[in-house]
Amino acid sequence: MPNQPIPLERESKRMIKDLVSALDYSACAEWALALFVVAFATITYGTMKLSQNASDRFASIPLTDQVEDSRQ
């Protein structure tokens, strides 16, 4: 049966398969590693930048029943 139209649902699934198979994921690992390194460096810098007083208050949170704001 020539010239019979392809159902739209099957055509859209084929188009999605073609799109996904054509994508290049080779850069995803490098981007994920770079994002991890940036996040790790930012958290490490923020931790090292804390004052001794704030660090002591954060450390004593599990030991006290009183709620305190350690950011002050």
Side-chain angles (χ1 to χ4, degrees):
M1 293 184 189
N3 296 333
Q4 188 175 22
I6 298 173
L8 185 59
E9 183 178 315
R10 190 184 316 159
E11 179 68 20
S12 66
K13 284 182 183 179
R14 188 175 68 83
M15 289 172 55
I16 291 172
K17 277 184 169 181
D18 291 343
L19 176 67
V20 170
S21 66
L23 289 175
D24 182 22
Y25 293 109
S26 62
C28 290
E30 287 85 2
W31 281 102
L33 180 62
L35 184 62
F36 171 77
V37 168
V38 167
F40 187 82
T42 303
I43 291 170
T44 303
Y45 175 74
T47 302
M48 297 301 167
K49 196 178 126 191
L50 278 177
S51 67
Q52 183 67 35
N53 189 19
S55 180
D56 290 340
R57 285 189 287 180
F58 279 129
S60 69
I61 287 175
L63 304 175
T64 62
D65 291 330
Q66 181 182 0
V67 177
E68 330 179 339
D69 187 7
S70 299
R71 292 174 283 177
Q72 296 177 357

